[in-house]
Amino acid sequence: MEGVSDDAGFASPVAASSAWESSARSYAGRFPRVFVAAQGPWLIDQDGRRFLDFLGGAGVLLLGHNHPDVQAALAAQARPVGNSLDLLTDAKLSFVETLHGVLPGDLARTHKIHFCGPTGSDAVEAALKLAARATGRRGVIAFHGGYHGMGQGALAVSSSRRLREAGLLMAGQVAFCPYPYPLRFPEPFRTPEAAAGFCLAQLRLMIEDDHAGQELPGLVLLEAVQGEGGTIVPPPGFLREVEALCRRHGILLGLDEIQSGLGRAGRWFAYEDDGIQPDLICVSKGIGGGYPLSLLLFDRRLDVWRPGDHIGTFRGQSIALVAGKATLEVIARDALPDNAARVGARLKEDLARRTAGHPKIREVRGLGLMLGIETDSGATADALQAALFQAGVIVETGGREGAVLRLLPPLTIGAAEVEACLEAFAGALECVS
Ligand SMILES: Cc1ncc(COP(=O)(O)O)c(C=O)c1O
């Protein structure tokens, strides 16, 4: 970076990056430091300043940075296979064995694994294709506030108008249903139960009314907890009702657990408490232990793929499979879903208490260590994010109008990190009072 700065005469490496990097870059502008090291929940910049990383690669870093067990597993590989496409490797076989050991319920027996390209978006593309092929129906119902990635299919089932502007979308094949969001719903739908009832009534009409303007869909796709949409948790039983509607009409149920899965929501998958069995589950982010890996779990009876139907060069990266296996083992060994539930509940409670009555904070919500603080505007959220960064804490913003601060810390955090976050938050709140 020094070279860039000196040669080009820029005032700082960050100024240089704004000259050579695409204007689509986002975090580099908001957190204008050069990070040179990281450990656990900490990022360290070139001046040696430590930042509490509650962004965590947008939820990727379930164990934080450079977890010793993951590092040891990577170091133990004598001559690792690099890219193996979908050849069988020992890294892949032992990853699958470990994954089967931790999958909840009957999934290891009932579901197959499709290794996709390396990002979450690739798993969503695979889910859309498989559902269309298996049902013979191309229609999809997705949800307001849903975010599924940047591929054209994934974008077509994502709701943001701004992001959709860039897409060559599957016109006419995707219809959007409201997702329970009591805070922003009109009266009388401002309780979780009423909001869920309203959404389910809409979904029922979209499916059952033969004048709903769309063919009967093959797939209903949703996040078990919405992430980018603003950390929105549907009330208990909502997913069960969605599943029942799907079953009644021969529609596949697809869950995107890319952000909410693998312990973040205080259980292995966020859908578990509803006692459902999704046909398709998209998994990515933390599954590769910090390295790119993405997969689709799908019910065995749907395996209508022909060889090569959904492929990609980077389906078999040993480094991600080894790091992913080590990560799953640590999550299971250290009961990290329980830690996420316990620590997340405390953090949520403390944040709610400290913000109660603040004129610019509307709600604190979330599940496990997927927490959101909804403010009165994008400007307030931006100001809080900047003040937190000044105080040494990095958080995400998102949701409608960008008004939600989003916390996605590692599942390993304890009381000290919670305290540091709360202290920084108290100071940041004063900046927007
Ligand atoms: C729920 C959900 N689905 C899909 C994606 C897309 O994943 P990726 O950015 O790895 O393509 C994301 C990314 O934030 C996500 O949160």
Side-chain angles (χ1 to χ4, degrees):
M1 287 303 296
E2 250 175 53
V4 173
S5 171
D6 291 349
D7 294 350
F10 290 105
S12 71
V14 173
S17 97
S18 72
W20 52 255
E21 193 170 357
S22 152
S23 302
R25 78 196 197 291
S26 52
Y27 301 111
R30 286 174 178 246
F31 308 120
R33 304 294 307 156
V34 178
F35 297 99
V36 295
Q39 189 60 52
W42 298 99
L43 270 170
I44 297 141
D45 78 5
Q46 61 183 7
D47 298 328
R49 177 141 191 242
R50 282 152 53 93
F51 292 82
L52 199 49
D53 183 7
F54 276 22
L55 170 62
V60 166
L61 298 166
L62 298 172
L63 307 183
H65 297 270
N66 295 313
H67 191 281
D69 292 44
V70 176
Q71 293 306 303
L74 290 171
Q77 290 186 289
R79 285 179 296 151
V81 179
N83 183 21
S84 60
L85 296 163
D86 66 359
L87 290 172
L88 286 181
T89 59
D90 60 345
K92 185 169 180 175
L93 289 173
S94 49
F95 169 84
V96 170
E97 195 184 353
T98 303
L99 180 65
H100 275 169
V102 301
L103 283 177
D106 231 8
L107 279 184
R109 202 182 51 77
T110 55
H111 282 52
K112 282 187 154 189
I113 304 171
H114 186 110
F115 286 93
C116 310
T119 77
S121 182
D122 294 315
V124 174
E125 302 291 334
L128 295 173
K129 276 194 204 169
L130 183 59
R133 187 177 284 268
T135 63
R137 299 197 299 270
R138 290 174 176 273
V140 180
I141 292 180
F143 284 77
H144 297 188
Y147 177 72
H148 301 284
M150 285 284 150
Q152 293 295 344
L155 200 52
V157 288
S158 299
S159 63
S160 157
R161 283 186 186 146
R162 186 175 80 82
L163 297 177
R164 290 168 64 83
E165 271 168 18
L168 313 163
L169 302 178
M170 305 161 19
Q173 292 175 0
V174 183
F176 285 86
C177 177
Y179 192 91
Y181 192 3
L183 184 74
R184 284 183 181 248
F185 274 8
E187 290 293 359
F189 305 116
R190 307 195 84 173
T191 65
E193 297 68 32
F198 168 70
C199 297
L200 289 166
Q202 290 276 335
L203 184 61
R204 190 169 300 116
L205 282 172
M206 290 170 77
I207 292 172
E208 293 181 354
D209 184 351
D210 64 353
H211 281 246
Q214 193 206 24
E215 65 177 43
L216 186 70
L219 173 69
V220 167
L221 178 72
L222 73 169
E223 289 160 88
V225 174
Q226 285 191 340
E228 304 301 310
T231 314
I232 304 169
V233 189
F238 175 73
L239 296 175
R240 200 162 50 241
E241 294 294 328
V242 173
E243 184 192 48
L245 266 170
C246 289
R247 298 283 172 252
R248 203 173 307 144
H249 296 281
I251 299 168
L252 298 179
L253 173 63
L255 281 192
D256 181 340
E257 289 261 9
I258 287 169
Q259 191 165 137
S260 54
L262 305 179
R264 179 157 298 285
R267 53 201 77 147
W268 277 96
F269 287 119
Y271 74 77
E272 278 177 70
D273 275 17
D274 268 28
I276 61 172
Q277 179 90 326
D279 300 295
L280 305 152
I281 309 170
C282 302
V283 187
S284 186
K285 292 213 189 266
I287 191 78
Y291 298 90
L293 184 64
S294 171
L295 46 95
L296 176 68
L297 298 169
F298 65 93
D299 194 301
R300 293 183 157 269
R301 74 191 151 79
L302 302 175
D303 197 1
V304 292
W305 292 123
R306 297 163 306 191
D309 264 352
H310 187 81
I311 55 176
T313 306
F314 290 108
R315 278 169 295 159
Q317 291 292 306
S318 292
I319 203 164
L321 293 164
V322 169
K325 168 183 154 67
T327 298
L328 294 175
E329 285 170 345
V330 173
I331 294 173
R333 182 194 70 201
D334 297 349
L336 292 181
D338 293 345
N339 194 58
R342 199 174 42 251
V343 177
R346 189 186 141 211
L347 181 53
K348 185 168 79 168
E349 212 178 286
D350 282 353
L351 284 167
R353 192 161 32 77
R354 290 187 193 211
T355 55
H358 192 286
K360 297 199 169 174
I361 303 294
R362 300 186 68 193
E363 187 170 71
V364 177
R365 56 175 180 257
L367 194 62
L369 282 169
M370 192 171 172
L371 298 176
I373 302 153
E374 179 143 357
T375 70
D376 63 348
S377 67
T380 300
D382 287 349
L384 278 170
Q385 185 188 46
L388 282 166
F389 184 59
Q390 282 300 317
V393 179
I394 298 181
V395 301
E396 170 85 293
T397 55
R400 312 302 206 278
E401 304 152 41
V404 181
L405 284 176
R406 304 189 54 236
L407 277 50
L408 295 164
L411 310 187
T412 47
I413 59 160
E417 287 93 16
V418 166
E419 211 37 61
C421 169
L422 286 169
E423 217 170 277
F425 199 78
L429 268 184
E430 281 174 23
C431 300
V432 298
S433 291

